[in-house]
Amino acid sequence: MKEEGKPSTFNATQNIYGFIQDVRLRRTTGSYKLTSKTLSLLTELVAKEKWNTAEDLLAVIRSQGVILSQALPHDIVIANTIRRVMKIVREEYDSPRVMNVDDAQSILSLHKLVTQGADPERGDYSKPMPGLKNALLDHLSEIETELETTAESISMQAAEHIHSAELIMTIGYSRAVEKFLKKAAETRPIEVVVIECAPDCRGQQLAANLARAKIQTTLISDAAVFAIMSRINKVIIGTHSVLANGGLQAVCGTYSLALSAKHFSVPVVVLAPTYKLAPVHLCNYEQGDFNILGNTEAILPFRSQAARFTKVYNPLFDYVPPELVTLFITNNGTNAPSYIYRLISELYHPDDNQL
């Protein structure tokens, strides 16, 4: 009985490997589900793993995070969640010292902000702290609640950004975009143009869902974007992740869409929950960690004669520079691309940027 109830690293690692297997077999898909599952795994790790100090816990989380990030490098929301939890551990450990500051010193002056890094006790997580586990579990529970209301928080801002009788363009399929447009259509008539995003053509699913919601919807091919852009009032898209400079890792075809929008001075609005903000930069357009090559059967069938002599590539992502983005809508409000660095500094600790 003692062995059965004893928490161990092996059990935690076994759960991690099971999660990796589910993601690779596409049993768990979508940024929200990946983030939610990662957060529940880390919460279980904090609750059941044996650790005495914040330093021990950070080491355990980092070791499991390295396994996840190396096994699933393209699902960047997983690494983001790990960094967020590590920041929470640091904050909860430092919070008692911050709360003990006198009221006269509670307001940070410019001098204090500059000299804050010289505090010898900051960054030392080797001392045990009573009640740290309970405080962490409470904080993680709040993060889980925030995660559950993310989509609703973004869609509630639809009325501020979409006006009556506007013609909206979007690309591919995004749950956030679908909810956002449906929320706007509850109070005003709008018309949506959906780019099908070949060869997967996931835009067809979004167009069908919007049509069932009684929203006037037009489905177009990728080649027709520039021809119709002059009529568009606003481009609203989702994204796979937001990089530290405000650039996007978005579905393939988004870059040409953003270029067309810039040519006709059409604003590009990106719906991005905070868990998609990543403290990483694009170093090389050809790096393997940035893009994924998808199945090319829909482009050139394997059994065709030309397939024997032709190399076919089907990249899943585009990099969209921040200059082509007008506005980000997150669950915490709206921000310009130039402000993304500030949001990232609030979400993650600099020491955790590299797992």
Side-chain angles (χ1 to χ4, degrees), residues 315-333:
L316 299 187
F317 298 123
D318 266 351
Y319 171 69
V320 181
E323 297 81 21
L324 301 181
V325 178
T326 307
L327 191 69
F328 284 98
I329 300 179
T330 70
N331 45 300
N332 294 331

Side-chain angles (χ1 to χ4, degrees), residues 221-256:
S221 68
D222 298 49
V225 171
F226 191 83
I228 201 173
M229 183 60 72
S230 60
R231 298 176 51 204
I232 301 298
N233 299 113
K234 202 165 291 173
V235 173
I236 299 178
I237 58 175
T239 183
H240 184 262
S241 63
V242 181
L243 306 185
N245 65 339
L248 307 179
Q249 183 186 15
V251 64
C252 193
T254 307
Y255 181 53
S256 58

Side-chain angles (χ1 to χ4, degrees), residues 31-345:
S31 298
Y32 171 77
K33 290 182 180 179
L34 291 174
T35 304
S36 179
K37 181 61 177 178
T38 305
L39 184 60
S40 70
L41 286 174
L42 294 177
T43 302
E44 185 178 11
L45 191 69
V46 172
K48 298 182 179 180
E49 188 65 31
K50 185 177 180 181
W51 53 275
N52 297 317
T53 65
E55 188 176 49
D56 296 339
L57 180 58
L58 287 171
V60 172
I61 295 176
R62 188 182 297 276
S63 64
Q64 301 300 331
V66 168
I67 295 174
L68 278 170
S69 60
Q70 290 181 350
L72 305 168
H74 301 293
D75 297 306
I76 202 166
V77 293
I78 294 176
N80 290 344
T81 307
I82 295 166
R83 295 185 184 103
R84 181 83 183 276
V85 172
M86 294 179 74
K87 174 73 178 292
I88 291 171
V89 174
R90 298 176 191 273
E91 286 180 343
E92 289 296 336
Y93 183 84
D94 290 331
S95 60
R97 291 195 300 109
V98 174
M99 292 175 65
N100 289 334
V101 177
D102 294 335
D103 292 339
Q105 299 177 345
S106 60
I107 301 176
L108 293 176
S109 64
L110 179 60
H111 174 71
K112 188 171 182 180
L113 285 172
V114 173
T115 59
Q116 196 172 25
D119 186 353
E121 295 185 8
R122 287 187 75 87
D124 180 14
Y125 304 101
S126 59
K127 298 178 182 179
M129 184 182 123
L132 179 59
K133 177 180 286 190
N134 292 333
L136 285 174
L137 293 176
D138 290 342
H139 200 150
L140 291 175
S141 178
E142 293 175 5
I143 296 298
E144 186 177 0
T145 303
E146 175 189 332
L147 183 63
E148 292 172 354
T149 59
T150 294
E152 183 180 355
S153 299
I154 292 177
S155 62
M156 290 298 291
Q157 303 176 58
E160 303 173 14
H161 300 280
I162 297 180
H163 307 293
S164 181
E166 278 194 330
L167 185 59
I168 309 297
M169 178 177 282
T170 187
I171 183 171
Y173 178 78
S174 168
R175 293 183 181 90
V177 172
E178 180 181 347
K179 292 182 179 180
F180 193 82
L181 294 175
K182 285 181 176 179
K183 188 67 177 179
E186 290 178 0
T187 56
R188 62 206 62 190
I190 62 172
E191 185 177 349
V192 181
V193 176
V194 182
I195 306 167
E196 67 176 359
C197 197
D200 295 334
C201 298
R202 296 197 64 199
Q204 296 178 3
Q205 179 183 352
L206 176 60
N209 292 348
L210 294 178
R212 280 193 287 268
K214 309 300 182 183
I215 300 175
Q216 187 174 351
T217 308
T218 305
L219 183 69
I220 65 171
S221 68
D222 298 49
V225 171
F226 191 83
I228 201 173
M229 183 60 72
S230 60
R231 298 176 51 204
I232 301 298
N233 299 113
K234 202 165 291 173
V235 173
I236 299 178
I237 58 175
T239 183
H240 184 262
S241 63
V242 181
L243 306 185
N245 65 339
L248 307 179
Q249 183 186 15
V251 64
C252 193
T254 307
Y255 181 53
S256 58
L257 169 63
L259 284 175
S260 300
K262 182 179 181 180
H263 180 80
F264 289 100
S265 300
V266 177
V268 176
V269 179
V270 180
L271 308 184
T274 51
Y275 57 79
K276 291 189 177 184
L277 305 183
V280 297
H281 294 266
L282 175 67
C283 300
N284 186 353
Y285 287 93
E286 298 179 358
Q287 65 177 350
D289 285 348
F290 179 80
N291 223 323
I292 308 175
L293 295 180
N295 194 335
T296 60
E297 172 68 19
I299 302 173
L300 187 66
F302 299 141
R303 294 180 179 273
S304 66
Q305 186 73 14
R308 300 173 56 188
F309 312 100
T310 308
K311 289 184 178 180
V312 185
Y313 297 95
N314 178 23
L316 299 187
F317 298 123
D318 266 351
Y319 171 69
V320 181
E323 297 81 21
L324 301 181
V325 178
T326 307
L327 191 69
F328 284 98
I329 300 179
T330 70
N331 45 300
N332 294 331
T334 59
N335 300 102
S338 59
Y339 195 74
I340 292 298
Y341 81 95
R342 179 64 180 170
L343 296 179
I344 289 176
S345 68

